[in-house]
Amino acid sequence: MKIGIIGKGNVGTHLNNALSEDASNNVCLINSRTFEGLEIDCDLLLICVKDDAIEGVAAEIARYIPDYQGTVAHTSGSVSMEILRSRFSNCGVLYPLQTFTKQRELNYAEIPVFIEAQTEESENLLRMAASSFTDKIYQADSEKRKALHVGAVLSCNFVNFLYGKAEEILKENGYDFSVLYPLIKETLERTRDKSPTETQTGPAARGDFNVINSHLEFLGDKPETERIYRLLTNSIYIGSKEKIER
Amino acid sequence: MKIGIIGKGNVGTHLNNALSEDASNNVCLINSRTFEGLEIDCDLLLICVKDDAIEGVAAEIARYIPDYQGTVAHTSGSVSMEILRSRFSNCGVLYPLQTFTKQRELNYAEIPVFIEAQTEESENLLRMAASSFTDKIYQADSEKRKALHVGAVLSCNFVNFLYGKAEEILKENGYDFSVLYPLIKETLERTRDKSPTETQTGPAARGDFNVINSHLEFLGDKPETERIYRLLTNSIYIGSKEKIER
């Protein structure tokens, strides 16, 4: 299978590595600025550029390779398949649910990939491509992909932000953020047995206002963290009370 | 070393297991209701009861074993050493930074333990006890322990709550929470290379209001999650903008 990757950022770089794990794939990186006069004989063109650049790249492909018969797909969590559908009969989305950093090695076999396709041919092609590095392949239309993306924002971007706030506090007190690793790891591991909602612990879940107030006082010189502490504590407390009263 | 553990909850059960890993320790579980007439020859008494019960247990020990010469310590992140100091000359705190669930196995060697002690004798005793299962032993007075506890609330309790919100959304769309594991794991692993504040990604960090607005619309029927999304997005956006402008 011949795959062309457009975009040399974090996603493009990693997908290039991941897809190359299957030696029978022929993966090449394509610079979107050199489409003109280019002969593309790829079965699949994967657009791995920033969200707001996808449409432009799609337009370029349609313009410079008007007779392209393969499948064109993008890899974004938040862009609809629509912007490809209007230009290509064979199109789709291959969304890898992971955060990519060029310098970091990843275990590609672990990455779940979510696929949407306009035709059966594209569907088969995208599944085949994904299966070169993972067997965690799922279906997701644009609306479900949005749900996944919101879930990723909550459990990755927001969580990372809270890690940052925790790190700041620990640093000020002479500790490295890594002292929290075992706790954070166990918080995640525990969700394998039970839903996180069921295992919610801590002062907010217990309604322990002595501790909550002493923490709010402690955060007095960090109004932003205090505001976040207050809102999340409130939500957790109300949720736990409702669970008890049910 | 002879250690008495008071409390059979999650912390008491796990500390009993952890301390028993060193075969030279003689660990016994003590029921705080049977202090009367009890002969206690432990070097160390570890109070592992709920925060608001610690003082009562301390009072009982002082009442029924007035000539106790060993060290009395509690294991709480949020209770000051003060309530022990007024009753015992040898006292302290042994705070294991972990979330304990009875049914779950833990790697005790990974757990960081934070120690505060009133005397050198207590300090040595608590360090020796902790070293039976971990070599991650740190100093923490009551104020620093509070900082650690706030850090734990941010990066464990609050994070777990966000996991729960993400799980809810995924479930409604037919996915298991576990599809987020690789992403969540990488979000943590990445902090080994760089501070979480430096690696903040996502629509809020990029100031991508198209995506943010579509997510807020998606969360329209979940006002609580929407409120949290709005506040955290705002904080991340402002933080990222400040970083860029600096």
Side-chain angles (χ1 to χ4, degrees):
Chain A
M1 179 171 189
K2 202 163 176 188
I3 306 166
I5 293 182
I6 303 163
K8 294 183 287 186
N10 292 322
V11 178
T13 304
H14 276 286
L15 276 182
N16 182 26
N17 294 342
L19 291 163
S20 302
E21 281 193 349
D22 182 340
S24 71
N25 284 338
N26 182 349
V27 191
C28 59
L29 290 166
I30 299 172
N31 190 332
S32 67
R33 267 168 265 170
T34 58
F35 276 146
E36 197 172 353
L38 199 69
E39 267 194 51
I40 302 268
D41 60 345
C42 295
D43 307 297
L44 173 62
L45 277 180
L46 274 181
I47 305 177
C48 305
V49 300
K50 282 185 182 153
D51 284 2
D52 53 10
I54 295 174
E55 191 154 20
V57 169
E60 270 185 88
I61 299 171
R63 182 173 167 203
Y64 290 111
I65 327 168
D67 54 346
Y68 182 65
Q69 294 300 314
T71 290
V72 179
H74 73 67
T75 53
S76 161
S78 43
V79 174
S80 155
M81 191 177 67
E82 283 306 314
I83 62 168
L84 300 178
R85 185 149 47 186
S86 57
R87 293 187 177 91
F88 311 99
S89 52
N90 282 321
C91 66
V93 181
L94 184 153
Y95 174 48
L97 191 55
Q98 183 53 286
T99 177
F100 297 99
T101 315
K102 264 189 195 170
Q103 299 78 16
R104 287 190 49 81
E105 273 183 39
L106 288 170
N107 177 2
Y108 299 123
E110 276 189 350
I111 302 177
V113 170
F114 296 83
I115 282 172
E116 182 176 10
Q118 172 67 3
T119 60
E120 214 187 306
E121 191 185 328
S122 297
E123 164 101 32
N124 291 339
L125 212 64
L126 289 168
R127 282 190 176 267
M128 219 206 298
S131 69
S132 19
F133 62 90
T134 184
D135 53 7
K136 298 184 177 172
I137 304 171
Y138 305 86
Q139 198 83 32
D141 61 23
S142 294
E143 188 64 15
K144 282 190 192 299
R145 202 165 57 246
K146 192 186 281 181
L148 290 161
H149 196 217
V150 172
V153 168
L154 293 171
S155 61
C156 165
N157 300 151
F158 289 178
V159 160
N160 186 67
F161 183 70
L162 292 174
Y163 290 167
K165 293 295 172 196
E167 187 200 34
E168 183 191 335
I169 291 166
L170 260 64
K171 230 180 189 171
E172 286 173 7
N173 284 274
Y175 303 114
D176 194 83
F177 178 62
S178 64
V179 299
L180 286 168
Y181 281 176
L183 175 63
I184 290 173
K185 240 177 61 188
E186 173 64 7
T187 303
L188 176 60
E189 288 296 323
R190 209 172 45 180
T191 68
R192 292 182 197 266
D193 296 343
K194 272 188 177 173
S195 157
T197 311
E198 282 176 59
T199 57
Q200 188 64 51
T201 53
R206 290 194 306 273
D208 187 338
F209 293 105
N210 279 335
V211 171
I212 292 167
N213 287 330
S214 99
H215 286 181
L216 287 172
E217 202 190 307
F218 178 88
L219 293 172
D221 61 338
K222 299 188 194 312
E224 189 195 17
T225 313
E226 193 199 324
R227 217 172 311 137
I228 292 165
Y229 188 102
R230 210 177 278 276
L231 180 67
L232 287 170
T233 290
N234 198 39
S235 289
I236 294 171
Y237 174 64
I238 290 169
S240 296
K241 237 179 58 175
E242 276 172 3
K243 222 166 30 187
I244 292 162
E245 281 164 7
R246 223 181 288 143
Chain B
M1 176 171 190
K2 204 167 173 185
I3 306 164
I5 292 180
I6 302 163
K8 295 181 291 187
N10 292 324
V11 178
T13 304
H14 275 286
L15 276 183
N16 182 25
N17 294 342
L19 292 163
S20 301
E21 281 194 349
D22 182 340
S24 70
N25 284 337
N26 181 350
V27 190
C28 58
L29 289 166
I30 299 171
N31 189 333
S32 66
R33 269 169 265 172
T34 59
F35 275 148
E36 196 171 358
L38 198 74
E39 271 195 46
I40 304 268
D41 61 345
C42 295
D43 306 298
L44 172 62
L45 277 179
L46 274 183
I47 305 177
C48 305
V49 299
K50 281 184 182 154
D51 283 3
D52 54 10
I54 295 173
E55 189 151 23
V57 168
E60 270 186 88
I61 299 171
R63 181 173 168 205
Y64 290 110
I65 327 167
D67 54 347
Y68 181 66
Q69 293 301 312
T71 289
V72 179
H74 74 67
T75 53
S76 162
S78 44
V79 175
S80 153
M81 191 176 68
E82 282 307 313
I83 63 169
L84 300 177
R85 183 146 51 184
S86 56
R87 294 185 176 91
F88 311 99
S89 52
N90 282 320
C91 66
V93 181
L94 183 153
Y95 174 48
L97 190 56
Q98 183 52 286
T99 178
F100 296 100
T101 314
K102 263 188 196 170
Q103 299 77 15
R104 288 190 48 81
E105 274 182 38
L106 287 171
N107 178 4
Y108 299 124
E110 275 189 351
I111 302 177
V113 169
F114 296 84
I115 282 172
E116 180 176 11
Q118 174 65 7
T119 61
E120 213 185 308
E121 191 186 329
S122 297
E123 164 101 30
N124 291 339
L125 212 63
L126 288 168
R127 280 188 175 269
M128 219 204 299
S131 70
S132 16
F133 63 91
T134 184
D135 53 7
K136 297 183 178 176
I137 305 172
Y138 305 86
Q139 199 84 30
D141 62 22
S142 294
E143 189 63 14
K144 280 188 194 298
R145 203 164 57 247
K146 192 186 282 183
L148 290 162
H149 196 216
V150 172
V153 167
L154 292 172
S155 62
C156 165
N157 300 149
F158 289 177
V159 161
N160 186 68
F161 183 69
L162 292 174
Y163 290 167
K165 292 297 173 199
E167 187 200 34
E168 185 191 334
I169 291 166
L170 261 64
K171 232 182 189 168
E172 287 172 6
N173 285 275
Y175 303 113
D176 195 84
F177 178 63
S178 63
V179 299
L180 286 168
Y181 281 176
L183 176 62
I184 291 173
K185 241 177 59 190
E186 173 65 7
T187 304
L188 176 60
E189 288 297 323
R190 209 172 42 182
T191 68
R192 293 182 197 266
D193 297 342
K194 272 190 176 170
S195 157
T197 310
E198 281 176 62
T199 58
Q200 188 66 49
T201 53
R206 290 194 305 272
D208 186 337
F209 292 104
N210 280 335
V211 171
I212 292 168
N213 287 330
S214 99
H215 286 181
L216 287 171
E217 202 191 306
F218 178 87
L219 293 171
D221 61 337
K222 301 188 192 312
E224 189 195 17
T225 312
E226 194 199 323
R227 215 172 311 136
I228 293 164
Y229 190 103
R230 209 177 277 278
L231 180 66
L232 287 170
T233 289
N234 197 39
S235 290
I236 293 171
Y237 175 64
I238 290 168
S240 295
K241 237 178 56 175
E242 276 171 2
K243 221 165 32 184
I244 292 162
E245 282 163 7
R246 225 183 283 142

